[in-house]
Amino acid sequence: MFDILEADIVVMQETKIQRKDLQDDMVLVPGWDCHFSLPKHKKGYSGVVIYTRQSVCAPIRAEEGITGILCPPSSSTSYSELPEDQQIGGYPSYGQLASSTIDATTLDSEGRCVILEFPAFVLMGVYSPANRDQTRDDFRLGFLDVLDARVRNLVDQGKRVVLTGDLNISREELDTANAEESMRKNGLSGEEYASTPARRLFNQLLVGGKVFGESDEGRERPLLWDICRGFHPTRKGMFTCWEQKINARPGNYGARIDYVLCSEDMKDWFCDSNIQEGLLGSDHCPVYAVLKDKISLNGQEVDVRDVMNPVGMFKDGKRLRECSMKDLQPLSGKLIPEFDRRRNIKDMFSRKPSLPAAQSTESSTMLKGSPTNVVEQPSSMLEAADERRVASSLVPAQALPPQSSPNPALPVAPASPASSTNNKRSHGETSISRPLKRSKSVSTSAQTTTTGKGQQSLKGFFKPKTPAASSTIGNGNGDMVQVSGSLENGSSQPADQAPEPTKSNVINGTPQSPTTPKALTQASNGTFEQEKHINSPTGSPTTTRKPTFQDQEDVHDPVVSKESWSKLFTKPAAPRCESHNEPCISMLTKKSGFNCGRSFWMCARPVGPTGTKERNTQWRCQTFIWCSDWNGALLEG
């Protein structure tokens, strides 16, 4: 993923994981450091992470949260109470926190902010609360209010700020496709739309933000520059988020709510900024900004790498020393106890450890280049292991001898052909003989008197049974033999098996052909019966009769049964939309009201740029059918 993005700093929001969900491929990424802020209580909710490429940049401080009330890992001291040389600074004052109705602990409990400090600037990765319903308005406005205070405090301390992330606010009408619809639905004018609380607060922070009337107290001076809009000031449709429920992305019916903002005196540091709307995988698309290789800092031109790393790591863009464990911040994911002092599995195979000479020459079957010696087992050992597996499946556990697992770290020399044929095991090993397979009963009478095995599958439940008539005769040797007649092919064995000269089909020592002459006789009820004549030792023929159709009146037709079950479980055919004559899709009404929970059919195409249903266009048409009013099976019939 990082190779595709081609970035040196990657900020992700809405990770929706907890600490127990972290895995090696999330934390131990080769060449990258990471800093997480995860929700403390809610599962699968919120979350922010910042990845930094260690070959290019390394932060000098790292924190999570916007209030400074949280504590670093393995510490009981909050960030705001640490010594000044360990603080990032800019923490909101008690007066600034008092303006919010939500306490500081609650604001930072959802994992919505990670802050990294570099010598050049302070980077803030933020996931702002969305405008879902009125129950979250106080939390949303409280978060934005404290975020605004933290940014202004950092700037007042003389630090540059880069604010990036999903802020869940569209700046103005140009940044959303449903601005007109929203104003018409809520009865708002353009001024009222731009003056909604969250949008007004955000615009007061931006240079060139649309603010009507006088600015609020303490927010008179705009501080941050919208980098992407600065490179594309009049571009329309530059959206970064689309609603997935209505499949709005193909028609570009979305909004721009993801930003990369910077202090105004930094705007000349960037050479490019844009969105990557073609990069799929989420309902958002990435936004990027590119720093120049040389930047102007305090009136001097310096290499950007010199001010993106701790002092002494780079000079004039050339690395002087490598990153070490001492350069990691306490918030680093690599210092989480579950991942500390561990390596990624890819790194484990990247270096080949040198082996002792005696060990490398003793065995020719050892696989080198791995941290643990892997030994290829000879075929005799594999056979023995297979025998033990077979034995364990047939013999009770109490009867199995204890097995000792071979040590893969010890090299094993391959046995020579002569020794392998004579001595496959050492004298000290306990030999396990191959258990005998469970054989069928050898009793002839038990085999010949069995008429069936019962229902073997679900198919046999629906298939009518055809009993075969049988008779017991003698074979001249004093043994009684049962002779069964088949109703289909005249054979006593299944059709897929060839008849064998056993006692069941040998009469008077002569094998009988399965194609014994048959005769059709007309019964008194007008139906035809099938007869099979077999000469008995006494000379009297034995006749078997096929049951008539009247004997099978209580048997259900398998074809009819199959069709009935198919109609019962088959979904009704989807209706076709009016404009495109294409199958519709089924949706569920979730809006509270009388129709909540009802399903309906609608056009499967995405909505167009207008966000409304259209006629005779390539976008979603106006087809709407309640599922309860549609009988696809009746129409299909």
Side-chain angles (χ1 to χ4, degrees), residues 255-275:
R256 188 171 77 99
I257 59 177
D258 303 89
Y259 300 88
V260 180
L261 314 174
C262 71
S263 297
E264 188 177 9
D265 58 349
M266 289 179 58
K267 64 180 183 180
D268 295 332
W269 290 13
F270 295 89
C271 60
D272 186 24
S273 181
N274 207 335
I275 65 173

Side-chain angles (χ1 to χ4, degrees), residues 415-585:
S416 60
S419 61
S420 62
T421 55
N422 298 329
N423 300 320
K424 289 187 177 181
R425 296 185 180 90
S426 61
H427 296 287
E429 283 185 311
T430 302
S431 175
I432 301 178
S433 60
R434 185 185 296 272
L436 295 176
K437 294 183 178 179
R438 183 180 296 177
S439 59
K440 297 182 179 179
S441 175
V442 295
S443 175
T444 305
S445 60
Q447 293 181 1
T448 56
T449 57
T450 302
T451 58
K453 296 182 180 181
Q455 179 181 334
Q456 299 297 318
S457 64
L458 185 62
K459 181 179 180 181
F461 180 78
F462 296 98
K463 185 177 181 181
K465 299 180 180 180
T466 50
S470 62
S471 60
T472 305
I473 59 177
N475 61 356
N477 297 327
D479 297 334
M480 301 303 295
V481 181
Q482 182 177 3
V483 181
S484 301
S486 174
L487 300 179
E488 282 81 8
N489 57 3
S491 174
S492 62
Q493 298 185 0
D496 58 344
Q497 298 181 5
E500 299 179 0
T502 60
K503 288 187 177 182
S504 60
N505 60 358
V506 177
I507 303 178
N508 294 331
T510 304
Q512 299 296 318
S513 173
T515 57
T516 307
K518 303 178 182 179
L520 289 177
T521 60
Q522 186 173 6
S524 59
N525 56 4
T527 61
F528 286 91
E529 300 178 355
Q530 193 177 61
E531 295 183 353
K532 180 178 179 181
H533 300 280
I534 303 177
N535 293 328
S536 63
T538 58
S540 59
T542 302
T543 304
T544 61
R545 183 179 65 87
K546 179 178 180 179
T548 63
F549 295 112
Q550 292 181 351
D551 298 334
Q552 302 182 12
E553 290 180 354
D554 58 340
V555 178
H556 298 283
D557 189 350
V559 177
V560 176
S561 300
K562 182 178 180 181
E563 292 178 354
S564 300
W565 284 102
S566 300
K567 292 180 179 179
L568 181 62
F569 291 105
T570 302
K571 294 183 179 180
R576 294 184 174 271
C577 63
E578 301 172 359
S579 298
H580 315 106
N581 196 27
E582 297 176 351
C584 295
I585 57 174

Side-chain angles (χ1 to χ4, degrees), residues 81-126:
E81 296 178 354
L82 292 174
E84 291 186 4
D85 59 340
Q86 301 178 20
Q87 294 180 357
I88 292 180
Y91 306 107
S93 63
Y94 289 105
Q96 291 171 328
L97 292 174
S99 61
S100 172
T101 58
I102 309 298
D103 62 280
T105 304
T106 304
L107 289 176
D108 279 342
S109 65
E110 297 185 356
R112 292 187 174 273
C113 182
V114 173
I115 305 177
L116 302 182
E117 183 177 2
F118 301 90
F121 55 82
V122 175
L123 173 64
M124 305 180 69
V126 175

